[in-house]
Amino acid sequence: LAFGQNHGMQLGIGSQNVPLQVAPPGSGFVEVAAGQNSGSLFVKADGSLWGAGSKLGGEDSYRDLGPSQLDAGPVTSYAIGGYNTGNYALWTRPDGSLWVVGYGNYGKFGNGNSQQQNIYEPQQLLSSGVTAVAAGTEHSLIVKTDGSLWTTGRNDHGQLGDGATDNRDTWFKVVDANVTAVFAGSSHSLFLKNDGTLWGMGSNGGKLGDGNATDSHV
């Protein structure tokens, strides 16, 4: 079921202020992820990944006829990011490979291209070694099998955690080990370590929960 703003067709149905059915009972959907503005991801019990919204696969158009399959799966982790008409999805497969589809800018794909780019069909970014992903508005994070944390993309508030505010268009290691989970906001990042501690960097204004409003570049 879905409801809310839908100018990017992220619901797979028209705009709604009450929950309405996107897919009927028995369709097999078991997990969902909502993007910041105009995209959504859905996962079926067979591990396949589906998307709705602008630039999420196939062509430069809105997915307004319901979720469309992005990967036959199984997928092991997934995230949706971007803003407005510039959605993108990151996900991993059991072999640790990293995949992307959608709109890229500021180097957030980590493929060495900092210009605007549209990837309409799933494309592999890394061949192995990735266990978790996070997608912000214009920056991305991944965790590798050794527990290291890597970031790429826009860095105007220090959301990449590299001690600076320069954008990056290739993956950069910011934590050596022990990272287990990641989350990317519009311009800040959070991650968990295996000892249960929570860490954050980037735009603050209180969202880092550290008692002040100052951005953190580390």
Side-chain angles (χ1 to χ4, degrees):
L1 302 173
F3 51 97
Q5 188 182 57
N6 197 35
H7 65 274
M9 299 301 174
Q10 59 265 38
L11 303 184
I13 52 177
S15 295
Q16 301 294 337
N17 58 10
V18 295
L20 287 183
Q21 183 173 281
V22 176
S27 298
F29 290 104
V30 294
E31 297 178 2
V32 297
Q36 182 178 358
N37 194 268
S38 57
S40 304
L41 295 178
F42 312 83
V43 177
K44 286 191 173 185
D46 62 4
S48 59
L49 180 68
W50 300 66
S54 60
K55 293 184 173 63
L56 286 184
E59 57 185 19
D60 188 12
S61 66
Y62 294 113
R63 292 297 197 176
D64 57 357
L65 299 177
S68 299
Q69 184 171 289
L70 301 178
D71 194 311
V75 298
T76 52
S77 65
Y78 58 94
I80 183 168
Y83 185 75
N84 206 1
T85 56
N87 298 295
Y88 74 110
L90 293 174
W91 67 93
T92 59
R93 291 177 175 174
D95 60 3
S97 58
L98 175 67
W99 295 78
V100 68
V101 72
Y103 174 79
N105 57 357
Y106 291 100
K108 64 190 178 189
F109 290 168
N111 60 0
N113 186 350
S114 61
Q115 304 303 310
Q116 294 183 6
Q117 52 187 309
N118 290 307
I119 296 178
Y120 300 131
E121 297 295 337
Q123 182 178 111
Q124 186 181 96
L125 294 177
L126 297 172
S127 61
S128 63
V130 183
T131 60
V133 299
T137 301
E138 292 158 341
H139 74 293
S140 306
L141 302 92
I142 58 173
V143 179
K144 292 193 174 182
T145 52
D146 60 2
S148 58
L149 175 66
W150 300 69
T151 61
T152 190
R154 192 169 185 175
N155 197 30
D156 54 332
H157 291 278
Q159 57 264 46
L160 301 187
D162 62 356
T165 56
D166 298 322
N167 300 336
R168 292 184 177 274
D169 59 17
T170 58
W171 297 101
F172 180 79
K173 183 165 68 171
V174 292
V175 179
D176 289 330
N178 301 319
V179 178
T180 58
V182 284
F183 170 82
S186 59
S187 55
H188 75 291
S189 308
L190 302 172
F191 61 93
L192 289 171
K193 287 190 173 182
N194 58 11
D195 61 1
T197 55
L198 174 66
W199 299 70
M201 62 261 195
S203 175
N204 198 347
K207 63 178 69 80
L208 298 183
D210 61 353
N212 66 68
T214 304
D215 291 356
S216 176
H217 301 162
V218 295

